[in-house]
Amino acid sequence: MIELLCRKMPLSSLLRGLLERCFAAERLEALFEAHAREQYTRDLLFSTVCDLLLSVVLRVYPSTHAAYQDRQQELNVSVVALYDKLKGIEVAVSAALVRETARDLSALLDALDCPPEPGLPGYAVRILDGNCLEASEKRLGVHQGLAAAALPGKSRVVLDPERRLLVEVVPCEDGHAQERSLLEAVLPTVQAGEVWIADRNFCTLGFLRGLQERQAAVVVRRHGSLPFGEQTPFAPAVGGEEGQRLFEQRIEVEGRTYRCVRIELPAPTRDGDTHLDVLTDLPDTVDAATVARLYRKRWTLETAFQHLEQHFASELNTLAYPRAALFGFCLALVAYNVFSVMRAALDSAHSEPVSKGVSSYDIAHEISATFRALLLLGEALDWQFLATCPPVQFAHWLRDVARNVRLDSLKKHGRGPKKPPQKNPYDPKQPHVSTYKLLRDQ
């Protein structure tokens, strides 16, 4: 029966297999026991809560309450108990879930023999950016009588662009927390030999110092408030895209020497900036053009955030408690990583890479249309063998299933740039027209 489902619903089967791997009950309970400090397990298991809320994040159900109603007999707890469990899941547990599943999925990418996208030879690239959860519905007593938006939290997310995996997250329950205040929690995740790319909000003395202490390099836009001294004036640098000019100088920050690459922009930004100053401590063998190219990779994480918003219910505004909302967001990060491995499986199953020509929207649409049916049809089937088999064997299963995917139905259809809409004069004497007559008289 599993073989039949894999032939008829290959994308949903890939997802089902990867979720079985990432969300095995024993593993999740061990993770919860290792990282939870306040909560404990009584009647409702952490693995059960993960499974239920993940079905909402994947848009199998429209809301948490709808998922609960469908599985009420199986859960055998009240809806109040469910929400009490959700609102108490500690951010350390949510962060560990992302980190540990990303590590396992990275091992699967190795088993699939998918070479990472080229970044910078000799370095592991990491991109850092922040995300603020959208305002939640005002469902709590403390919200009553307030007109201001209720922010359930924010987070700092780290992307490995070479593997397209979100490898770390630093959740914060305070929606008003400054981005820079969370950098101390990011630094312990830094490893020697990495190069970190970030926007100017993360260009602080403490972060630059912490990276250098951990023998990691940086490519970051210079913040206007960063104190520095000029060692050399700007001089033209070789390279740059067509129509783009680059300049470079050396500066000193707290006794450390950095290169400052100035990128002149073809048009001012919405803030009126005509150039970007990018700091780096990469060696001179990495030229200014490569530094500019690396900084542009920062938008890879912005694109990932857009995919989270478009294809998953990543920000559940019905979860008003900060811990519950952040837990839902972290589940969406795991779902994004799972989709990245699914794309890698498609590449591995064919003689040449195909995932770049596949539409993420169509993948998400097909899964949302078939995944619940697969869960119902395969409810009595045993998928647990996928959770325990060696990575090489599981990678072989992924390839076999991926070969059943009809790529022609998922093909991207590119289009040219949108033309600006033409504003036609409005005639109040003729507020509407008959399309039939227009077609008849053309």
Side-chain angles (χ1 to χ4, degrees):
M1 183 64 177
I2 290 180
E3 290 78 7
L4 177 62
L5 293 175
C6 290
R7 288 199 305 270
K8 297 298 184 181
M9 304 177 187
L11 285 174
S12 288
S13 297
L14 285 172
L15 177 60
R16 179 68 179 84
L18 284 164
L19 294 182
E20 185 68 36
R21 187 88 178 182
C22 292
F23 290 90
E26 297 81 4
R27 172 195 181 162
L28 291 179
E29 295 307 324
L31 182 147
F32 180 79
E33 291 296 328
H35 297 279
R37 295 293 177 266
E38 300 173 12
Q39 270 195 332
Y40 58 91
T41 300
R42 181 177 291 175
D43 298 320
L44 188 57
L45 298 176
F46 175 68
S47 56
T48 304
V49 177
C50 282
D51 188 33
L52 183 141
L53 195 61
L54 184 66
S55 66
V56 182
V57 169
L58 293 172
R59 294 179 173 164
V60 177
Y61 295 98
S63 67
T64 307
H65 195 269
Y68 168 80
Q69 283 187 309
D70 192 51
R71 302 176 56 179
Q72 186 172 0
Q73 291 184 344
E74 174 191 344
L75 295 173
N76 197 29
V77 296
S78 68
V79 69
V80 174
L82 171 63
Y83 280 107
D84 282 344
K85 183 78 171 182
L86 282 171
K87 74 179 184 182
I89 294 176
E90 298 156 59
V91 293
V93 175
S94 299
L97 179 64
V98 175
R99 179 171 57 253
E100 295 191 15
T101 54
R103 189 181 300 131
D104 288 352
L105 291 173
S106 181
L108 276 180
L109 290 176
D110 291 334
L112 285 168
D113 197 23
C114 289
E117 295 184 1
L120 183 64
Y123 292 87
V125 179
R126 296 290 182 266
I127 302 176
L128 173 66
D129 206 351
N131 179 76
C132 183
L133 297 182
E134 71 171 52
S136 69
E137 294 182 4
K138 298 173 185 176
R139 297 190 166 199
L140 309 182
V142 293
H143 293 151
Q144 301 308 309
L146 296 178
L151 301 181
K154 56 176 55 176
S155 60
R156 300 294 159 265
V157 182
V158 181
L159 171 71
D160 178 352
E162 298 169 342
R163 293 179 173 269
R164 293 181 290 186
L165 292 178
L166 301 165
V167 294
E168 293 281 354
V169 61
V170 179
C172 175
E173 298 175 52
D174 184 1
H176 278 172
Q178 291 292 329
E179 287 187 332
R180 297 181 170 202
S181 67
L182 302 180
L183 287 177
E184 285 297 323
V186 174
L187 284 174
T189 69
V190 177
Q191 301 293 323
E194 294 176 343
V195 54
W196 282 66
I197 304 171
D199 197 15
R200 58 185 168 187
N201 287 334
F202 303 102
C203 184
T204 68
L205 292 175
F207 191 56
L208 295 176
R209 189 187 315 119
L211 289 176
Q212 197 157 84
E213 289 172 353
R214 290 163 175 79
Q215 299 180 347
V218 67
V219 174
V220 61
R221 185 179 175 186
R222 182 177 65 82
H223 195 280
S225 65
L226 182 75
F228 69 95
E230 294 186 1
Q231 293 183 341
T232 63
F234 276 108
V238 179
E241 293 185 343
E242 184 178 352
Q244 183 182 71
R245 295 197 303 166
L246 300 177
F247 301 86
E248 186 174 336
Q249 73 169 168
R250 293 188 182 277
I251 65 173
E252 181 181 319
V253 179
E254 288 190 328
R256 301 182 302 273
T257 298
Y258 291 87
R259 299 158 56 199
C260 179
V261 176
R262 173 164 289 181
I263 307 169
E264 287 202 348
L265 303 175
T269 66
R270 58 188 175 188
D271 295 329
D273 298 325
T274 58
H275 63 266
L276 305 177
D277 287 346
V278 179
L279 298 189
T280 183
D281 53 359
L282 289 168
D284 292 340
T285 52
V286 181
D287 59 23
T290 303
V291 172
R293 177 181 60 81
L294 283 171
Y295 182 72
R296 284 194 299 272
K297 277 183 172 289
R298 187 181 71 82
W299 293 102
T300 311
L301 185 47
E302 296 282 354
T303 303
F305 287 152
Q306 290 177 5
H307 287 175
L308 286 172
E309 183 180 355
Q310 292 172 0
H311 308 317
F312 308 112
S314 59
E315 300 184 15
L316 297 168
N317 62 6
T318 55
L319 297 177
Y321 282 100
R323 290 184 177 184
L326 289 166
F327 177 57
F329 178 72
C330 288
L331 285 175
L333 299 184
V334 177
Y336 176 90
N337 290 342
V338 167
F339 270 51
S340 293
V341 175
M342 288 172 61
R343 285 177 164 275
L346 291 175
D347 288 337
S348 182
H350 297 82
S351 56
E352 58 184 24
V354 297
S355 62
K356 288 188 177 180
V358 169
S359 166
S360 298
Y361 171 83
D362 288 333
I363 290 178
H365 178 72
E366 179 169 332
I367 287 175
S368 65
T370 61
F371 189 64
R372 189 173 182 184
L374 181 139
L375 293 178
L376 293 173
L377 292 171
E379 190 174 11
L381 301 178
D382 184 11
W383 298 78
Q384 292 186 2
F385 70 97
L386 297 173
T388 56
C389 65
V392 174
Q393 183 180 343
F394 185 62
H396 180 72
W397 182 86
L398 290 174
R399 286 193 203 95
D400 287 344
V401 178
R403 292 189 183 99
N404 296 321
V405 176
R406 288 184 49 220
L407 296 177
D408 57 335
S409 65
L410 306 174
K411 186 177 179 181
K412 280 184 179 178
H413 298 283
R415 54 161 293 166
K418 291 184 177 180
K419 297 179 181 179
Q422 181 180 358
K423 190 171 183 179
N424 298 313
Y426 175 72
D427 183 2
K429 295 181 179 180
Q430 190 179 23
H432 47 71
V433 295
S434 167
T435 303
Y436 167 76
K437 291 180 180 179
L438 291 174
L439 292 172
R440 182 194 64 189
D441 300 334
Q442 67 178 347

